[in-house]
Amino acid sequence: MTLSGAVFGGGFCDAPVESARAFRTAMSALARPGEIGVMGGVHPPAPMSVAAGILVLTLCDPDTGLYLAGDMDTPEVRDWVTFHTGAPLVSANQADFALGRWQALLPLAPYRIGTPEYPDQSATLIAEVAVLEPSGAVLSGPGIRDSALLSVPDVAALRANAAEYPLGLDFFFTCGDRLAGLPRSTRVSEE
Amino acid sequence: MYVAVKGGERAIDNAHAWLAEERRGDRAVAELSPEQIREQLGLAVNRVMAEGSLFDPDLAALAIKQARGDLIEAVFLIRAYRTTLPRFGATDPVDTGAMACDRRISATFKDAPGGQVLGPTFDYTHRLLDFKLAAEGEVPEAPMAEPRREATPHITDFLNNEDIIEREPVSDATPGDLTRVPMAFPAGRDIRLQSLARGDEGFLLGMAYSTQRGYARNHAFVGELRIGRVPVEMEIPELGFAIEIGEIELTECETVNQFKGSKTEPPQFTRGYGLVFGQSERKAIAVALVDRALRWEELGEDNQGAPAQDAEFVLSHADNIQATGFLEHIKLPHYVDFQSELELVRKLRAEAGASATLADREAAE
Amino acid sequence: MNAYNFAYLDEQTKRMIRRAILKGLAVPGYQVPFASREMPMPYGWGTGGVQVSAAILTPEDRFKVIDQGADDTTNAVSIRKFFERTAGVAVTERTIEASVIQTRHRIPETPLRADQILVYQVPIPEPLRFLEPRETETRKMHSLQEYGLMHVKLYEDISRHGAIATSYAYPVRVAGRYVMDPSPIPKFDNPKLESEAIQLFGAGREQRIYAVPPHTRVVSLDFEDHPFEPTKAEHDCDLCGAADSYLDEVIIDDAGGRMFVCSDADFCRGRREAGQSGAKAGALS
């Protein structure tokens, strides 16, 4: 297989500084569910969004297994991820990170949710969503003063995930150059 | 204006300048070079390499000079440097059986193929100060002999052939690395041995000694102790084969320990193992004894509650860089916490005083 | 120092720490194991805080370091200088100007904002460690929320002394789940653990990172008949007159004369610059 030029491009120009900025945006989003962060500066291959691409570059490396779900699993995406991060591509049940459209990531059952003694050994899902805005489901819990609104894709699934606390999955929702975080500690309910 | 006991940037800079001056010592005396340390204080260099987890005699010598001979400080310098080095990959396991031995002794056999080679040892020196060393003068050359051409077999191989010692399981699994993955318990033997190889020589000496004195005694015989150089090879994926990238000096100790057996299994000797950078034989023997003590569970022995059997205790306290940092950090100001204790004790005393007065009054009435 | 990467640590190490920080934020108060690196300063001297700071700093940050509440204590000076050199960040002694504050033993008196991050240096992250030295046991206790031992210890204090005898590193329960060591801050600071800012805790030697997100419930353990009390010296600051700040007690003469001054040096200076003064301010200037 030959690698096209696009594989080598589209990453960080100054990784130490750009990844530091990107991490701060991601950290703030996960620490404050409902907050929508904006990221830019990389050009991942379609169908990966800019925000998802930056998250992968910032968090994944040879120590983390990445699962590409559904139509995210293209040769271009595989090559780009492998070239820029060295992350091994794995199945859902081995993944530290999973990336795909929400529907393609389902069902959530196979992902690792940690163990009672090591709840941190759980997967983080990067879910591409068509809409990301501060409306819809009501969020409450750590990081949120009173309550916040976020257009999450699936209230029932996220509620079930939160019910496993302190085990469970953590989510980033990405849409274009924007992202929001939803840790397992967030309680999600319908409006 | 009141000035608290606080040091600013200038105080730190001045302290460092003073330290540099003390390091140099009397300028009328010639300055030490790292080369002199490397060549003439080789055992100190070896200890710094072993506990620093980095085989580089020149850097270790430089660290010893910079640390004014404080070997733990020198280990710290090496460790802090080591963390910043990029990792290109892992070498193939070294073959100590192919070692060009400078020293090789066995306490379990009077003689064996390869012979007993004393090598450059202090063992039979009489510990009398040699005042000739205070005067300058060249050392006469040591007698030379032809080096042994063929590989020196491991003593335990002879026991293996008789099936009278436990077999080491052979595995191609990648061993863990406690410098990359946080220590978790229970720890496998790979992690335990890595921790011991980096551990403080003094701590391990004490732990090993305690097993000899009955705290989980395991009847160790030094099956073999060998010191020498081995080639280090690395697979280069682009080439498809391994190439030699250098040579390191190692000390390896294999102990033959008390046998185990049951109704179904015939009795067999067991093993302890120590492998350390450089000529570091006290450390290698200590590692082997402590390794053996830590294996009680996998060998189906009783937990006697001895310190050397307690993996969490031994591994959590063997690292002298962690230990010295935490020990010495109590020099840092703690006056905020002390103040809160002071307030609490004063308050409790005041309350105790008040209730005592009340009790006196009640008793008087 | 140009031979080193931005903020000293290599990128792979930073990613490992960043992943641990995210898991810490997702499970507030839970101690996430991380492969702490050997830093060029000793274990026990802030290596955990330094690694967390190194993983979060950006070139735009303004960095403040305090030890015992003061910016000019030697170890604070040393850490601040390290990041000035390796990350090229701007530094400040003013709490309100800082975007990242690394601290040992204090929480600033000035309430922190949402755009600030507080990084704690932690010596022993395990709140149960002095009751149970084994990691294998304490991990089990956390997983089962078996915190009875801690309450027994606090209650024994009450029966012996008439009060809870823990005055710093006072245990808290975070988001109703994990009991957490807030690092050796005086218990006076405990109420400030509920904050607008992200709070990150780094224990280098013990290889643990944990976190408290903004607006997270942090409750100091207590009993109905012995409620938690954040205490301080019963004085006002002799320099700025503040009645509500944590005080250092300083011996000022051979006769053992004392004065009380704010532990938070920036807070005290700010008040004096605004014209406030304490009982001994005039005598000393």
Side-chain angles (χ1 to χ4, degrees), chain B residues 1-2 6-7 13 79 83-84 179-180 310 312 325-326 329 333-337 339-341 343 346, chain C residues 8 35 37-38 41 43-45 68 72 81 104 134-136 167 184 205 207 233 246 249-250 284:
Chain B
M1 177 67 199
Y2 152 75
K6 289 169 179 173
D13 290 343
R79 290 267 192 97
T83 340
T84 66
T179 69
R180 309 304 281 183
D310 186 335
E312 191 169 338
F326 198 52
H329 107 281
H334 282 76
Y335 52 80
V336 161
D337 292 345
Q339 183 68 35
S340 63
E341 290 275 270
E343 295 300 332
R346 281 180 185 148
Chain C
Y8 181 75
R37 300 292 192 247
E38 266 130 350
M41 61 265 296
Y43 283 120
W45 297 55
Q68 313 295 299
D72 61 351
K81 208 168 165 183
R104 178 168 171 265
R134 278 168 203 288
E135 169 71 12
T136 35
S167 58
R205 191 180 39 79
Q207 309 193 308
Y246 191 77
E249 177 176 334
V250 187
L284 286 152

Side-chain angles (χ1 to χ4, degrees), chain C residues 193-228:
Chain C
L193 289 161
E194 289 189 351
S195 173
E196 300 255 334
I198 294 174
Q199 298 173 84
L200 304 174
F201 299 76
R205 191 180 39 79
E206 297 281 338
Q207 309 193 308
R208 297 291 183 271
I209 283 172
Y210 52 104
V212 176
H215 308 295
T216 299
R217 213 165 122 72
V218 181
V219 178
S220 302
L221 302 185
D222 63 358
F223 299 93
E224 244 169 53
D225 50 344
H226 283 91
F228 171 76

Side-chain angles (χ1 to χ4, degrees), chain B residues 100-170:
Chain B
C101 297
D102 286 343
R103 171 164 166 77
R104 189 272 197 139
I105 51 169
S106 169
T108 49
F109 293 96
K110 182 169 185 185
D111 201 4
Q116 305 267 15
V117 180
L118 285 185
T121 177
F122 290 123
D123 282 356
Y124 306 102
T125 60
H126 292 152
R127 270 58 170 202
L128 304 170
L129 276 175
D130 183 354
F131 294 100
K132 283 199 305 259
L133 290 175
E136 283 166 43
E138 277 306 311
V139 181
E141 276 185 24
M144 301 283 281
E146 272 299 298
R148 189 182 149 86
R149 298 258 170 251
E150 59 276 35
T152 306
H154 277 117
I155 297 289
T156 48
D157 288 347
F158 298 109
L159 298 171
N160 245 350
N161 295 342
E162 208 184 319
D163 214 20
I164 202 163
I165 191 165
E166 56 162 332
R167 294 250 168 210
E168 286 286 15
V170 177

Side-chain angles (χ1 to χ4, degrees), chain B residues 281-302:
Chain B
E281 71 183 66
R282 181 187 302 121
K283 167 88 174 267
I285 299 169
V287 168
L289 263 60
V290 175
D291 168 53
R292 178 60 186 77
L294 292 174
R295 298 184 62 211
W296 65 272
E297 212 164 358
E298 64 210 45
L299 294 173
E301 295 171 340
D302 290 336

Side-chain angles (χ1 to χ4, degrees), chain B residues 198-238:
Chain B
R198 289 159 54 91
D200 181 73
E201 181 173 316
F203 175 82
L204 294 170
L205 172 63
M207 278 291 141
Y209 178 46
S210 75
T211 69
Q212 291 183 292
R213 289 195 64 260
Y215 290 85
R217 181 153 185 244
N218 54 46
H219 308 269
F221 295 99
V222 172
E224 181 172 344
L225 178 77
R226 58 169 65 193
I227 302 174
R229 306 189 77 85
V230 292
V232 178
E233 295 186 341
M234 191 165 168
E235 301 278 348
I236 307 295
E238 289 79 2

Side-chain angles (χ1 to χ4, degrees), chain A residues 26-175:
Chain A
M27 176 174 79
S28 184
L30 197 73
R32 296 184 179 83
E35 177 183 289
I36 293 176
V38 180
M39 309 173 122
V42 312
H43 305 282
M48 205 191 302
S49 68
V50 169
I54 294 178
L55 282 176
V56 167
L57 295 185
T58 303
L59 299 173
C60 298
D61 61 26
D63 292 336
T64 57
L66 174 66
Y67 169 61
L68 297 173
D71 63 359
M72 196 60 75
D73 190 7
T74 69
E76 290 75 23
V77 170
R78 283 178 161 252
D79 290 346
W80 191 79
V81 163
T82 305
F83 177 76
H84 288 285
T85 73
L89 298 173
V90 299
S91 59
N93 59 356
Q94 296 175 315
D96 296 295
F97 291 91
L99 168 62
R101 294 186 208 280
W102 175 260
Q103 283 304 326
L105 288 168
L106 295 177
L108 298 183
Y111 300 100
R112 296 184 305 134
I113 58 169
T115 65
E117 293 181 1
Y118 294 93
D120 56 300
Q121 292 176 3
S122 61
T124 301
L125 272 54
I126 302 169
E128 301 271 24
V129 292
V131 178
L132 189 63
E133 54 188 33
S135 69
V138 181
L139 313 182
S140 62
I144 303 164
R145 184 206 296 270
D146 307 324
S147 65
L149 297 176
L150 188 67
S151 55
V152 301
D154 187 337
V155 170
L158 295 171
R159 263 169 103 156
N161 180 61
E164 304 271 5
Y165 190 84
L167 308 190
L169 307 171
D170 305 308
F171 299 89
F172 283 106
F173 297 116
T174 50
C175 179

